[in-house]
Amino acid sequence: MSLTFESWRLKARDLLIKGVPPNQTYWDESPSLFSFEETALFAPVPHPKVPKEFMELAEAVACARDPERWALLYRLLFRLNHENQNLLNIVVDEDVHKAKLLAKSVRHDIHKMHAFVRFKKADIDGVETYVAWHKPEHLILPLASPFFVRRFGDKPWSIFTPDGSAHWNLQSLSFSEGMPQNEFDHEDPFDEVWKTYYRSIFNPARLKIKMMKAEMSPKYWSSLPETEIIHELIRNTPKRLQDMAEAPRFKAEVPKTSSWEELRTAALSCKACPIAQQANHTVFGEGPLQADLMIVGEQPGDEEDLAGKVFIGPAGQILSQALALAGIDRESIYVTNAVKHFKWTQGTESKARIHKKASGAEMHACKPWLESEIALVKPKVILALGVTAGTALYGRLVQIQSERNKVNTSSAFAKSLTISWHPSAILRAFNDDDREQKMKDLVEDLKKAHHLSQT
């Protein structure tokens, strides 16, 4: 059994009360501490006090893979009580600086674990269970695991690492010994889904290998199914770039007019890209032309295409619910899409039209219509919903999870530009927890965008 943060805390408190200075202690990875001297050189501290910030810092540092972490923490604890209660504010102090660097590294590792754990379905004693193997840089399993309870708590799961394993049985979270990767032998057909998804988001025009490795370090690649195709994608990048350069470029011809009706009428006959050939209607935006808030979705769905109306299908109903929860009157905002036609493919076993993502060229073709709508409405705030809308407005590939809390104040389209989940992402959520969290995020982002539009 190795030394834990709680066992360190109890022992450190006892030593501090007795007045034992840091240079008379020796910490190791066992639950033991050895004091070199019998007599303390400092006055006892009957009632030790530490700021809340120290406990948060210490909990993170305790997970660092650094043999000196326990001694460092006791040294800080001792100095807080004997030297300076505001020690943690002195960022140039050697101990403070090192502790904060370790804590930052640990928190970064926790973030990466949350992003890179890939569960695989397994049948264990007749029970559907989800398992994953991950190799973190630090000893973060106890701090990182509660996230998975919140996000995937409706199914039993286990996460194995070389240092320890976490298990969720739908009622409680427990921990056990670790497992080497060579003993983790599980395959899952869903691995192919990850590869398909990664192929779809891989943009050869923006390939920067150094940056890619910084964001998704190769040390995690062995446990990520999608990384099996990275070398293939890099190898094929020159050909894909050539194909992209030779591909036909479409662009809508938009009339110069200050009339919304004339603009909409012209859009109804737009045939600038192949999507228009299979669509029933051009789905233009709707709402007051003086709206301070504009919401831009991705593209129309089946019901929108049939009716020629924006956001009236299942995703539109989710948007209406979110607006109501946010206390926003839908009639007060302008709602549109980045792409004006429904792109679809025929279902293999039914006559249903299956939604298909618009390509970059098709999005580019529709962009003049979106720009014209923005120029007419002149919204103070634009909220982009989904990656396609975000890409059209930000001018680059966006990551909603990491960018939805940020406000872009340097956009050419509006005073403030923000992004959130598309309602269809809520409809396609992995489970109830994921669906609930994305809906909560969307409502929160709507409130923030509406507040910005009123200031």
Side-chain angles (χ1 to χ4, degrees), residues 56-73 75-76 94-110 137-140 143:
E56 294 174 350
L57 178 71
E59 189 176 27
V61 172
C63 295
R65 201 181 292 275
D66 186 324
E68 300 299 320
R69 65 191 186 281
W70 304 116
L72 172 65
L73 288 177
R75 197 158 58 244
L76 284 171
E94 185 177 348
D95 288 340
V96 173
H97 179 67
K98 181 175 181 181
K100 290 192 173 182
L101 280 181
L102 287 176
K104 181 179 179 180
S105 180
V106 165
R107 289 168 184 145
H108 180 74
D109 199 31
I110 291 173
E137 180 179 351
H138 297 291
L139 307 168
I140 59 172
L143 285 187

Side-chain angles (χ1 to χ4, degrees), residues 6 8-9 11 43 81 118 126 134 141 155 176 211 236 299 308 317 319 339 342 350 353 375 379 381 384-385 408:
E6 183 60 23
W8 170 88
R9 188 184 69 82
K11 189 64 178 178
N81 282 270
R118 298 288 185 264
H134 181 74
L141 194 62
K155 297 288 185 183
S176 64
M211 185 178 297
N236 292 336
Q299 68 168 319
Q317 294 170 25
L319 177 60
V339 177
F342 176 43
S350 68
R353 298 190 299 172
V381 179
L385 301 182
N408 184 329

